[in-house]
Amino acid sequence: MDFDPKICETKLLDELDILLHTKRQSVLVKISTDQQFQNIIKKEFNILFYLNKQNKSSQVLSNKLLDRFNELSKCNFVIDQTINYSDNFQLIDDINYLSIYIKNIFKVNISDLNKLDESNVQEVKTDDSNFRQSANTYANPFEKFAGANTNNNPFLQMSAQIKLKDDIKSGKVYIYKSKPKAIPVIKKIFFFCLLVLGMFVFLTGIFGLAIGQFKNGGINDGKETYTYLSWTSTLYLLLGGSLYYYAYVCYKNVFINKKTNDNQLYRFQFTGVYFIIFFFVFWYIFDCFSIKYTSRICIFDSLNDLIAANLNVKAELYGFFYCEVFSLITFFITLIVIICGNVFNPKVDKEKVNQIIQQYIDDMSRGTTVNF
């Protein structure tokens, strides 16, 4: 489950509603007197209004909750409109902190605050009947999960999924069934293939720019016609640069992260470079076809005939066409390496992943973890 700001907003709105309308006197007294507790609630309100704005939600209930807080705390708190979150982990962490604080201080889940035996608590008289009526009509997807199995709580599931992604990225957990030793070797070969392929593609572009144009053997109105390579050469240069970029990505994956993240070391996954490579093949075929058969007609029977007609760029033409040939050969070698990498790729251990997610959910539901 991906990060869902709407679920976060609903959860926070629900928890603040419960907190500020609880029947537990000790909680209400702490809201009125404890500066630290007030600051925590203020931070949650800033987040709530931030989520309201992100989701373009109505702020009617949020404003009523804010009025309720100002009434209890005897302060006039104003929302910080400049608050912003670029890190979803930090946002989830800050939202979770309220329920964790309640659990640690009052030894009760925040969802249970309104479930206390009324004979053991003092009823707090508040003039908020209209608000409670409107709040009860608010669709609360967490209400049915209160006191139930936390596996079904979408917020905890989302939080666990986000934490899992972070731990996979940092290498804290390994999610595959095996660690095939062939993968690191294949990735090293792939890295060198990208270097060689990028070199030949780049050199093709350099030679093409050096040629600029050449006689293609055609005659138009009694004048010889030319084939122009400027656009083709520029595209080859861009393709070569892109291949070198992905070679650098592969280098970091194989040689830099190998000691810190087994998920990267034993997994062959370079989706971005596949598009570059297959686009190269498409362009190579299109370019060769265009040069030989279309309006850019190259009617010479052989490369030697072409060279003979363009002696002023003889070396450049040899370089251009030979680099194209070597590029195609290197491409097929690279393609074989890609196929091997995907064949030997380890499979995800779904049972292990589910166990890890369940452990995360259990920890968060008990309030035993604060930092993601």
Side-chain angles (χ1 to χ4, degrees):
M1 182 184 295
D2 294 329
F3 172 75
D4 189 338
K6 189 62 181 178
I7 292 179
C8 294
E9 177 189 359
T10 304
K11 174 188 177 355
L12 188 51
L13 190 66
D14 182 56
E15 289 185 346
L16 287 171
D17 181 19
I18 293 173
L19 177 65
L20 295 172
H21 292 89
T22 181
K23 294 177 172 59
R24 191 170 223 193
Q25 183 68 16
S26 59
V27 176
L28 295 173
V29 170
K30 197 170 184 63
I31 294 175
S32 301
T33 60
D34 192 316
Q35 183 67 43
Q36 180 186 7
F37 193 26
Q38 290 177 4
N39 289 338
I40 292 173
I41 298 175
K42 289 177 182 178
K43 185 172 184 179
E44 300 300 326
F45 268 111
N46 281 330
I47 297 174
L48 176 60
F49 277 83
Y50 165 76
L51 290 172
N52 287 161
K53 182 166 41 175
Q54 295 297 308
N55 297 323
K56 298 180 180 179
S57 304
S58 170
Q59 295 184 349
V60 174
L61 293 179
S62 300
N63 282 319
K64 289 185 177 181
L65 286 174
L66 180 59
D67 292 341
R68 171 66 174 162
F69 170 69
N70 285 333
E71 176 188 350
L72 291 175
S73 62
K74 304 298 188 294
C75 65
N76 188 24
F77 175 60
V78 178
I79 298 298
D80 181 4
Q81 299 292 341
T82 63
I83 186 174
N84 185 44
Y85 279 87
S86 58
D87 185 349
N88 292 336
F89 291 102
Q90 186 61 49
L91 176 60
I92 295 292
D93 192 27
D94 289 345
I95 293 174
N96 276 341
Y97 187 72
L98 178 62
S99 59
I100 293 172
Y101 181 87
I102 296 297
K103 179 74 173 180
N104 292 337
I105 299 300
F106 299 102
K107 310 304 179 186
V108 63
N109 292 325
I110 194 170
S111 60
D112 295 327
L113 284 179
N114 275 348
K115 296 183 179 180
L116 298 175
D117 186 351
E118 294 189 15
S119 62
N120 296 328
V121 297
Q122 179 180 351
E123 180 71 29
V124 179
K125 296 180 180 180
T126 60
D127 186 17
D128 62 345
S129 57
N130 291 334
F131 170 71
R132 295 306 294 164
Q133 183 178 2
S134 62
N136 287 335
T137 64
Y138 184 83
N140 177 17
F142 294 94
E143 182 178 354
K144 64 181 179 179
F145 300 123
N149 189 339
T150 56
N151 282 335
N152 296 323
N153 188 316
F155 185 82
L156 290 180
Q157 289 180 352
M158 178 185 65
S159 301
Q161 291 282 359
I162 293 176
K163 177 173 170 55
L164 177 62
K165 290 180 181 179
D166 185 52
D167 287 349
I168 292 172
K169 186 176 180 180
S170 65
K172 290 182 180 179
V173 298
Y174 185 74
I175 62 170
Y176 300 105
K177 292 183 178 180
S178 62
K179 294 183 178 181
K181 295 181 179 180
I183 291 295
V185 177
I186 293 174
K187 289 166 75 172
K188 290 178 181 179
I189 297 174
F190 182 63
F191 165 68
F192 289 110
C193 285
L194 288 179
L195 285 181
V196 176
L197 179 59
M199 178 188 69
F200 283 128
V201 171
F202 201 82
L203 286 176
T204 302
I206 294 293
F207 282 121
L209 288 179
I211 295 169
Q213 64 183 31
F214 62 87
K215 298 176 184 178
N216 57 30
I219 302 294
N220 186 15
D221 293 332
K223 297 181 180 180
E224 293 181 307
T225 58
Y226 290 82
T227 292
Y228 300 92
L229 295 177
S230 298
W231 166 246
T232 299
S233 302
T234 301
L235 188 56
Y236 274 123
L237 291 176
L238 291 175
L239 285 173
S242 299
L243 289 168
Y244 272 125
Y245 167 76
Y246 280 103
Y248 172 69
V249 172
C250 183
Y251 171 79
K252 288 199 305 180
N253 185 284
V254 175
F255 297 99
I256 296 180
N257 295 325
K258 63 179 182 178
K259 295 182 179 179
T260 59
N261 195 340
D262 286 347
N263 293 289
Q264 294 185 12
L265 178 60
Y266 294 105
R267 181 72 178 173
F268 188 91
Q269 188 170 0
F270 299 97
T271 307
V273 78
Y274 299 162
F275 173 79
I276 299 296
I277 291 177
F278 284 107
F279 180 76
F280 155 74
V281 174
F282 166 79
W283 179 254
Y284 177 87
I285 295 174
F286 171 80
D287 190 53
C288 289
F289 180 86
S290 180
I291 288 177
K292 190 167 182 62
Y293 297 107
T294 66
S295 59
R296 298 162 57 186
I297 297 175
C298 181
I299 62 175
F300 294 110
D301 293 331
S302 67
L303 178 59
N304 289 331
D305 293 333
L306 179 65
I307 298 298
N310 296 274
L311 292 177
N312 58 318
V313 286
K314 175 181 177 180
E316 292 84 350
L317 282 170
Y318 273 122
F320 180 82
F321 286 106
Y322 280 128
C323 282
E324 276 198 325
V325 172
F326 291 143
S327 296
L328 192 59
I329 294 173
T330 308
F331 160 76
F332 282 114
I333 297 174
T334 305
L335 184 61
I336 293 173
V337 174
I338 291 175
I339 294 173
C340 291
N342 284 278
V343 168
F344 285 97
N345 253 343
K347 295 182 179 180
V348 175
D349 190 337
K350 294 182 179 180
E351 182 178 351
K352 179 180 179 180
V353 170
N354 289 334
Q355 290 176 352
I356 294 173
I357 292 176
Q358 182 60 50
Q359 184 61 50
Y360 290 161
I361 291 175
D362 292 343
D363 290 343
M364 286 184 286
S365 65
R366 290 195 300 266
T368 58
T369 178
V370 176
N371 295 321
F372 281 150

